[in-house]
Amino acid sequence: SNVLEEYAEAKLFYAWLFGKNDDGESPVGDLLAPEDFTIDLKPGEYLGGLCDLTGEVGRFAVQKGTARDTDAVKLSLHSNSRILNAIQTMERTPSAINKKMDQLRRSVEKLERMLYEMSLSEATGRKVQTSAENTETEKMED
């Protein structure tokens, strides 16, 4: 159900931020497996939550990119890439997940672009606003 998918997303994001044991000071990038949940989730519910997690991680990365926190953006990209690669290697996925794959690919590409632009900015010693930040700013103004 959608409620369990939202639950999975929230629990996954919390573990990603603070660790499986809730002892992280900064984002640790932990990813929970289905057996780490206290309730039984159907594969589609878990995978849906995992896909939706990448959106939260992407928003987190944009916020950290604005603050020039390269390590947090790298962790975000690494996490979203791991999720994308894992889902792409599955033989079959629920149809609802297939609909989320384009969004997941775009998220990874956006983070790659942001990290590239941040590295250019650092290499030239200039403070440059990334296109991802511009996009987020435009969304907030709408």
Side-chain angles (χ1 to χ4, degrees):
S1 77
N2 289 342
V3 172
L4 290 175
E5 193 174 298
E6 290 296 323
Y7 166 76
E9 175 189 357
K11 192 159 173 81
L12 285 161
F13 190 48
Y14 188 87
W16 187 85
L17 283 173
F18 302 110
K20 290 180 183 179
N21 300 320
D22 193 19
D23 55 6
E25 290 291 318
S26 61
V28 291
D30 284 353
L31 294 176
L32 298 177
E35 59 269 12
D36 294 327
F37 288 82
T38 54
I39 59 175
D40 288 333
L41 296 173
K42 294 176 184 166
E45 294 164 343
Y46 172 75
L47 292 172
L50 201 57
C51 286
D52 293 345
L53 166 69
T54 63
E56 294 300 325
V57 170
R59 284 184 278 287
F60 171 86
V62 169
Q63 184 181 32
K64 292 300 181 177
T66 303
R68 303 289 173 242
D69 186 344
T70 305
D71 290 339
V73 175
K74 284 180 181 176
L75 176 64
S76 301
L77 173 59
H78 177 71
S79 298
N80 282 6
S81 295
R82 282 174 50 205
I83 293 167
L84 175 63
N85 291 335
I87 294 175
Q88 284 179 328
T89 60
M90 296 178 72
E91 272 186 43
R92 264 185 328 141
T93 56
S95 62
I97 302 308
N98 295 334
K99 295 174 187 170
K100 295 183 180 201
M101 289 304 289
D102 285 340
Q103 179 183 346
L104 178 49
R105 283 186 201 92
R106 280 193 300 276
S107 172
V108 169
E109 289 168 4
K110 180 178 178 179
L111 293 178
E112 287 171 339
R113 208 170 34 253
M114 183 191 313
L115 199 55
Y116 174 71
E117 290 175 10
M118 287 175 73
S119 70
L120 287 179
S121 175
E122 289 172 23
T124 60
R126 295 182 307 166
K127 182 175 180 177
V128 177
Q129 191 171 21
T130 67
S131 61
E133 293 165 3
N134 289 334
T135 303
E136 278 301 308
T137 303
E138 289 167 8
K139 282 183 185 173
M140 292 186 330
E141 289 172 355
D142 287 341

